[in-house]
Amino acid sequence: MTVTVRSVCPYDCPDACGLLVAVENGRAVSVSGDPEHPVTRGLLCPKMKHYEQTVHSPRRLTSPLRRVGPKGVGTFEQISWDEAIAEICRRWQEIGAGYGAEAILPYSYAGTMGLVQRNAGHAFFHKLGASRLERTICSPAKDAGWKALMGDTPAMDPAEIEQSDLVILWGINAVATSIHAMRDAQNARRKGAKLWAIDTYRTPTCEAADEAFLIRPGSDGALALAMLHVIDREGLLDREFISANVLGFEELRVRILPDYSPEQVADICGLPADTIERLAREYARAEAPFIRLGSGLTRYGNGAMTVRTISCLPAVVGAWSKPGGGIFIGTATGGAFPLQTVTREDFMTELPRLVSMNQLGGALTELSGPPGMSLYVYHSNPAAIAPDQNAVIRGLEREDLFTVVHERFLTDTARYADIVLPATSSLEHPDLYRCYGSYQAQRCSAAIPPVGEAKSNWEAFSLLAAGMGWDEPFFRLSADELIELLLVEETGWRSAAVTEQLRQGIPVMLVPPTEPKKQWLTQSGKIEVLNEREAEPLPRRLATHAEHDGYPLRLQPATTPYALNSGFYEQDDLRAKQKCMELLMSRVDAEARCLADGQAVIARNDRGAVRFTLKVTDRVPTGTVVTEGVWWREFIPGGRGVNALTSQRLTDGGRGSTLYDVTVEVKGL
Ligand SMILES: Nc1nc2c(c(=O)[nH]1)N[C@H]1C(S)=C(S)[C@@H](COP(=O)(O)OP(=O)(O)OC[C@H]3O[C@@H](n4cnc5c(=O)[nH]c(N)nc54)[C@H](O)[C@@H]3O)O[C@H]1N2
Ligand SMILES: Nc1nc2c(c(=O)[nH]1)N[C@H]1C(S)=C(S)[C@@H](COP(=O)(O)OP(=O)(O)OC[C@H]3O[C@@H](n4cnc5c(=O)[nH]c(N)nc54)[C@H](O)[C@@H]3O)O[C@H]1N2
Ligand SMILES: [Mo]
């Protein structure tokens, strides 16, 4: 008999789609998009169409494992959960006694976005006194840039895009990463809006746009300043809106904008001056221009400043006062549920050190006082996704590092583990989801029993707490009870009726306590183009890190529609749709190096050397090379992925990753 169960896509994507899962005899047999879900509306991305192939993949880990061979090789023996928990607790007690608990480092990110399972380890590690992980690999620079200008102003409703007459997809590959934003942008286009894409290479999103503007990596801030220069010079400002709503535009106009004429900026961006002028004019003359800003352009040494500068555009043309006008960088729904009831900061007796997840390589190889002696990885794959892969692997190879990995698959990271624990997929555990692309939220229950002996993140930490001999009742709560703790408290984001719908598994819309656009939640109550609390009081162009590196080609480690970071490589059909370790290069750059399409090449910089297959294409401008996807090392001929070239350097604001801020030289193999 087939039953259909409602669930939620757990992955790190703006949408948190509603799923309908067909279940037969405890197995998921097919998955489709929930037609009643307010964002999904029946449309699923190619990755999730066969989620059942991930859930029931023959590659799933089904029992705990103990390493028997050298680190990294992946030879293990099967052990029981009891043995695994006992061994982990014994080793941690030894390490704690010898070095102090700060020698233990948790490492997790966004394998699942569910509030309970994602944050399941916090309470445990707080009580243990372990080092704290600064979870900043994705796009904290975006938030820092927004905050510098807009303070705590909530995001506009992204659905307004359909009322816009000019939609700009700026640094976002929406066809791959935000398919519902793409659908909504196309709806706007059908109603007559113009659709532009601004990117560093010709993505599928560029193909779908009316016009695409390809610019040099990390130069968007300069482009926005030149647009502001033209808008001011040609009298296209909305003076009324500025005087009522904007602080410090005059300072920007007088002190900064004169240095950013289109002629001065053309070379920095790689766009002709007259194109920049046209962009500025058409943007300013649009009735309700809507910018959807992606995260690609934030992963640079100047990422926060880039977001802050671009976000000035809707303010100076008064776009905010029109339905459909404004800029959307993502929703912040952190206040909707009392997360501290799960994360339990109160379990910390003192504040342990903070280790940036972007600097794991350094933490495992250079840290002292105390050194990192144990790593517990859950729902993350740092050997593949973290920058500076060679440093990460040097750390993971340390014989004296006790590594535990809780995973669904034997990932690059799991291969280095001393103990591997099998994890449930999202269909096998309950959770509560919110997302960063809309105000939607949904709770779900397990749709099927666990595969093999898999346990959820929360169950693993409950067992570890018991193994440590802790008698805190908190660790004996079930995941369902934790979800109820998140729901029972009022936060001003949802009515009692909405909370009841959540309990029943119905997708709902949260409402931020203040009306979007009604006011600017900044110190001055205005949009702060001038913000003297910032190190840089006014937007101006900041250099990227890679500008000082001395290699000639900018490398873009971009995303693919057929994977999610290092996820989905377990699905054979999706893997087959991608070219493994392909490097896109312009004809000019290939000819200058006597390289031919299809040949094996090596990209190199100070941090590493990575083998690729060259694809000569007009999709990338001269001076930029691109590779898509984060491949598992078992599929990579050279054994090193693109992150062997990326660096542990941080962004200007938010201490984020700078994965796109990389230069390389490329030679034939
Ligand atoms: N299919 C798929 N979906 C995903 C993911 C995935 O890996 N695959 N990852 C998920 C995650 S974790 C995230 S954070 C989001 C990210 O989703 P997006 O916000 O779309 O971010 P990226 O795909 O990293 O980068 C977007 C685009 O920015 C471009 N870019 C890079 N540097 C610059 C620049 O300096 N200027 C401009 N204008 N463009 C630039 C890149 O070429 C890329 O096409 O997607 C999520 N969804
Ligand atoms: N070169 C390059 N590097 C990148 C990026 C890029 O685009 N290019 N993207 C960057 C970005 S934006 C981000 S956000 C990070 C993402 O970094 P991560 O969050 O580490 O991303 P994933 O590769 O999706 O790895 C998540 C792992 O969690 C596992 N998992 C899923 N569900 C569960 C669960 O319930 N429990 C447990 N224990 N495990 C689970 C999955 O099997 C998967 O192996 O990567 C960054 N690194
Ligand atoms: Mo991300």
Side-chain angles (χ1 to χ4, degrees):
M1 196 184 69
T2 310
V3 285
T4 302
V5 185
R6 262 198 168 135
S7 192
V8 180
C9 174
Y11 289 105
D12 188 356
C13 163
D15 295 344
C17 278
L19 306 178
L20 296 181
V21 185
V23 176
E24 274 174 24
N25 305 321
R27 280 179 75 88
V29 292
S30 68
V31 174
S32 57
D34 184 348
E36 287 166 32
H37 186 280
V39 177
T40 308
R41 285 181 260 147
L43 175 68
L44 278 193
C45 72
K47 307 183 291 304
M48 283 303 282
K49 278 193 176 133
H50 290 288
Y51 186 41
E52 75 283 355
Q53 290 182 15
T54 289
V55 172
H56 298 292
S57 162
R59 290 173 172 269
R60 276 293 293 274
L61 293 165
T62 52
S63 80
L65 304 171
R66 179 194 285 132
R67 179 170 66 90
V68 289
K71 291 202 171 193
V73 173
T75 40
F76 295 96
E77 63 179 1
Q78 213 168 305
I79 55 172
S80 69
W81 269 95
D82 285 348
E83 286 172 283
I85 296 292
E87 186 163 332
I88 298 166
C89 292
R90 180 178 57 78
R91 292 294 301 270
W92 280 352
Q93 275 152 349
E94 282 167 14
I95 289 169
Y99 296 88
E102 270 188 333
I104 301 165
L105 177 67
Y107 198 97
S108 71
Y109 198 61
T112 172
M113 297 286 279
L115 292 179
V116 168
Q117 306 297 351
R118 180 178 192 182
N119 299 294
H122 287 57
F124 179 89
F125 287 113
H126 289 335
K127 182 156 170 62
L128 188 65
S131 286
R132 291 174 302 142
L133 186 72
E134 189 176 42
R135 292 176 171 81
T136 44
I137 202 165
C138 186
S139 50
K142 218 175 181 180
D143 303 326
W146 174 264
K147 206 171 169 60
L149 185 79
M150 307 294 285
D152 295 324
T153 307
M156 67 189 293
D157 179 356
E160 278 190 37
I161 193 170
E162 293 202 26
Q163 298 172 60
S164 167
D165 60 335
L166 171 62
V167 173
I168 308 181
L169 300 173
W170 197 325
I172 183 168
N173 184 5
V175 166
T177 65
S178 312
I179 59 157
H180 300 95
M182 195 65 215
R183 173 199 61 200
D184 297 349
Q186 274 163 332
N187 284 343
R189 188 161 175 249
R190 270 189 282 278
K191 293 182 197 161
K194 223 180 300 171
L195 182 61
W196 290 351
I198 305 181
D199 208 294
T200 46
Y201 79 108
R202 192 167 291 279
T203 61
T205 306
C206 294
E207 300 295 341
D210 294 306
E211 244 186 298
F213 302 91
L214 302 188
I215 67 168
R216 298 228 162 92
S219 70
D220 306 77
L223 173 60
L225 287 166
M227 289 172 70
L228 290 163
H229 175 109
V230 175
I231 290 167
D232 173 45
R233 189 182 67 195
E234 302 193 356
L236 299 170
L237 301 166
D238 184 336
R239 293 197 174 279
E240 214 172 298
F241 182 87
I242 292 174
S243 79
N245 296 280
V246 178
L247 181 76
F249 179 69
E250 198 50 30
E251 283 84 346
L252 183 79
R253 211 177 77 79
V254 174
R255 289 196 231 150
I256 305 288
L257 295 186
D259 295 336
Y260 295 92
S261 69
E263 292 72 23
Q264 283 160 300
V265 167
D267 275 352
I268 300 172
C269 301
L271 279 183
D274 58 351
T275 304
I276 299 176
E277 280 171 357
R278 183 164 64 81
L279 268 164
R281 283 185 202 123
E282 291 193 29
Y283 177 77
R285 287 185 183 138
E287 185 53 33
F290 179 103
I291 298 172
R292 175 113 187 186
L293 200 66
S295 295
L297 49 67
T298 75
R299 298 193 190 109
Y300 290 87
N302 61 8
M305 184 58 99
T306 297
V307 175
R308 181 175 167 194
T309 313
I310 295 172
S311 302
C312 292
L313 284 165
V316 303
V317 301
W320 288 115
S321 55
K322 332 232 178 79
I327 179 167
F328 180 82
I329 72 156
T331 53
T333 50
F337 303 99
L339 203 56
Q340 69 282 2
T341 56
V342 172
T343 53
R344 298 304 299 260
E345 278 72 22
D346 57 306
F347 283 177
M348 280 186 280
T349 46
E350 51 198 275
L351 209 56
R353 70 178 168 201
L354 198 56
V355 174
S356 167
M357 69 183 301
N358 300 316
Q359 297 174 331
L360 179 66
L364 296 181
T365 53
E366 291 164 13
L367 206 61
S368 57
M373 296 304 295
S374 179
L375 180 71
Y376 184 95
V377 180
Y378 56 117
H379 74 112
S380 183
N381 184 12
I385 59 84
D388 202 353
Q389 186 180 50
N390 285 317
V392 173
I393 288 173
R394 273 198 304 279
L396 291 174
E397 278 171 345
R398 271 176 45 202
E399 270 307 320
D400 62 343
L401 180 75
F402 176 62
T403 303
V404 181
V405 177
H406 186 202
E407 248 301 342
R408 303 174 311 167
F409 299 105
L410 198 62
T411 57
D412 292 359
T413 314
R415 285 171 192 274
Y416 288 91
D418 295 284
I419 302 278
V420 179
L421 302 173
T424 42
S425 77
S426 64
L427 296 190
E428 299 149 55
H429 57 236
D431 218 328
L432 172 65
Y433 297 86
R434 58 177 162 85
C435 61
Y436 55 92
S438 76
Y439 288 106
Q440 179 280 122
Q442 191 174 356
R443 179 215 198 288
C444 65
S445 301
I448 56 169
V451 169
E453 295 173 30
K455 291 193 189 294
S456 73
N457 293 355
W458 175 250
E459 288 171 313
F461 286 108
S462 298
L463 291 175
L464 286 166
M468 296 300 283
W470 300 344
D471 53 13
E472 219 91 38
F474 174 78
F475 292 107
R476 291 197 293 272
L477 295 176
S478 67
D480 282 320
E481 285 166 328
L482 287 179
I483 294 170
E484 189 50 35
L485 284 182
L486 293 172
L487 290 178
V488 76
E489 197 173 303
E490 295 224 0
T491 56
W493 283 69
R494 53 198 152 82
S495 64
V498 164
T499 300
E500 207 35 55
Q501 286 178 315
L502 277 169
R503 285 198 177 96
Q504 291 166 21
I506 298 168
V508 303
M509 281 297 184
L510 303 165
V511 182
T514 44
E515 270 282 282
K517 287 202 201 182
K518 281 284 145 55
Q519 52 179 328
W520 316 112
L521 302 185
T522 57
Q523 207 173 75
S524 64
K526 289 187 169 186
I527 297 173
E528 296 184 336
V529 168
L530 173 70
N531 182 343
E532 277 164 346
R533 298 180 308 283
E534 289 287 311
E536 296 283 342
L538 286 166
R540 68 177 182 99
R541 173 176 143 72
L542 300 183
T544 59
H545 292 305
E547 275 165 50
H548 308 296
D549 279 353
Y551 293 90
L553 296 165
R554 305 293 302 243
L555 171 69
Q556 303 279 283
T559 44
T560 156
Y562 305 112
L564 190 124
N565 306 318
S566 74
F568 290 102
Y569 287 87
E570 67 277 2
Q571 282 193 30
D572 298 341
D573 295 351
L574 287 174
R575 225 172 44 241
K577 291 199 165 117
Q578 297 185 57
K579 294 276 187 320
C580 182
M581 298 299 288
E582 191 176 61
L583 190 71
L584 313 182
M585 184 186 270
S586 74
R587 189 159 301 283
V588 172
D589 283 326
E591 281 172 3
R593 291 166 178 77
C594 303
L595 298 174
D597 188 62
Q599 87 170 80
V601 294
I602 295 273
R604 192 183 295 278
N605 62 20
D606 293 349
R607 289 170 295 277
V610 178
R611 187 178 156 160
F612 292 96
T613 303
L614 193 73
K615 173 78 191 163
V616 178
T617 168
D618 59 8
R619 286 177 62 206
V620 294
T622 305
T624 299
V625 288
V626 178
T627 186
E628 293 175 337
V630 186
W631 282 79
W632 293 1
R633 285 171 65 212
E634 67 175 281
F635 301 119
I636 302 178
R640 285 294 182 269
V642 63
N643 280 326
L645 298 164
T646 56
S647 91
Q648 301 183 49
R649 296 179 297 212
L650 303 178
T651 52
D652 50 338
R655 295 173 54 79
S657 67
T658 57
L659 291 158
Y660 283 89
D661 200 351
V662 189
T663 52
V664 293
E665 178 53 295
V666 178
K667 293 215 163 79
L669 190 65

